[in-house]
Amino acid sequence: MTIDVLRRPGPAERQARAAVAVLFFTNGALFANLLPRYPQIKADLGIGNAAYGLAVAAFPAGAVAAGLGAGVLVRRLGSARAAVASTLLTAAGILVAGLAQSVVLFAVALFLAGAMDAFTDVAQNAHGLRVQRRYGRSIINSFHAVWSIGAVTGGAMAAGAIALGLPLGTHLLISGLVFGVAACVALRFCLPGPDTGPAEEAEAETETETETEEESQEKEGARGGGPAPTSRTRYVLAALVLIATAGTLVEDAGNSWAALYLSDALNASAALAASGFIALVGAQFIGRILGDRLVDRFGQRAVARAGGFIAAAGMGLALAVPTVPGTILGFAAAGFGVATLVPAAMHEADELPGLKPGSGLTIVSWLMRLGFLLSPPVVGLVADGAGLRLGLLVVPLAGALVVVLAGVLGSPRRQPAGGER
């Protein structure tokens, strides 16, 4: 469990929190600037749906292929530097993808951008959790809420560029420069020093200046590389991966299938069909805004279990009694229910004993991306055989899985004495 530093966050912690928020914002905005341009890129390359589908799958494939290297990068560069460096390379990959003159170059650029995005994801979450430990209370959900704001901002920027007739290369160059500079500025205000585990950070805060060199060496020798992972640690890590993957499965259901289900199965208009995705993302944003206070009050375990129940019951009822309003509300319930799952799994994984700093976080971040990679074809296969309504049962099933596994998450914590609210 977290070992909190019982003091008010000072100016350095406040600045670091703002800096991490900027990193999350830029990460959400960068790729969102490219997504609305996909139809233009597809038309310019003159490719069919199959080739297009394989090409855009290169982004999550790159993230899965490179994801396990994120922990090594964080330990060598530090989480802040790793986040900024990979942000700059992500921006470059997106620019190359936008300017690609062949489908092969387009896919290769997306693959590299996806790999760099995986590094950014782990590094910015690692630094955010480091800042959270200095705060002594939950703030990680607010960073993920800022990511959502960044994604909406990036999409709006792309829509504006299209409306203004801005060339694709110019548009992506501007967005890459703007968010690249923002990330570099944020680096100046991140926490200094190496990334260590939560126990080591707490010890460093409480060590006295009168400690002798012999005592210090004895402590360091006793710590060594930390205890080896136990079977309990492996079980918890596997459960955390499943919890995070459940969150990604629900997100992808809204991204990939909400509009299609509403328009095809329920005969909603195109404008109304878009409401399913909007409801899921909007409710998820609200859940993340409220998430930190709920976690501080009730603990990760209770919040995740309640969220899993809300997602399962809300979407399950919507599928059992299919109506357009009910389905939109069902997607909203699903988005709200899973809002804190990925941050919660990352937080707990980052503090598992017996793992090097960043290793647990890296494994969860890497494996949960399989949800984004595998979910569309699996749901599609079920939909082709038995209908999309049955395929969307993945949402209530994911919620039920969270209810079962939520016991591995943290219980309520005592508020830090004198801590800021």
Side-chain angles (χ1 to χ4, degrees), residues 106-125:
F106 176 61
V108 169
L110 283 182
F111 184 90
L112 295 176
M116 294 302 103
D117 181 72
F119 291 163
T120 303
D121 187 40
V122 171
Q124 67 187 9
N125 275 284

Side-chain angles (χ1 to χ4, degrees), residues 157-245:
M157 285 177 62
I162 293 170
L164 293 172
L166 203 62
L168 178 56
T170 304
H171 160 218
L172 294 179
L173 178 62
I174 291 172
S175 69
L177 288 174
V178 168
F179 296 118
V181 169
C184 290
V185 172
L187 178 61
R188 295 185 56 201
F189 300 98
C190 290
L191 294 176
D195 290 84
T196 56
E200 287 83 353
E201 285 191 9
E203 286 179 18
E205 290 287 339
T206 56
E207 277 181 353
T208 64
E209 294 181 0
T210 58
E211 184 183 57
T212 67
E213 183 178 351
E214 183 179 1
E215 289 171 334
S216 177
Q217 290 175 349
E218 184 178 3
K219 271 188 182 181
E220 187 63 33
R223 265 201 306 263
T230 63
S231 57
R232 165 71 180 171
T233 296
R234 296 187 187 96
Y235 162 74
V236 171
L237 185 59
L240 293 174
V241 168
L242 290 175
I243 289 172
T245 302

Side-chain angles (χ1 to χ4, degrees), residues 7-21 127-128 130-135 139 143 186-193 205 420:
R7 62 181 177 85
R8 287 179 179 272
E13 286 78 17
R14 294 177 189 276
Q15 290 176 354
R17 181 178 183 178
V20 174
H127 206 76
R130 188 179 168 199
V131 174
Q132 176 172 279
R133 288 192 286 271
R134 298 280 285 268
Y135 262 70
I139 60 173
F143 294 138
L187 178 61
R188 295 185 56 201
F189 300 98
C190 290
L191 294 176
E205 290 287 339
E420 180 190 288

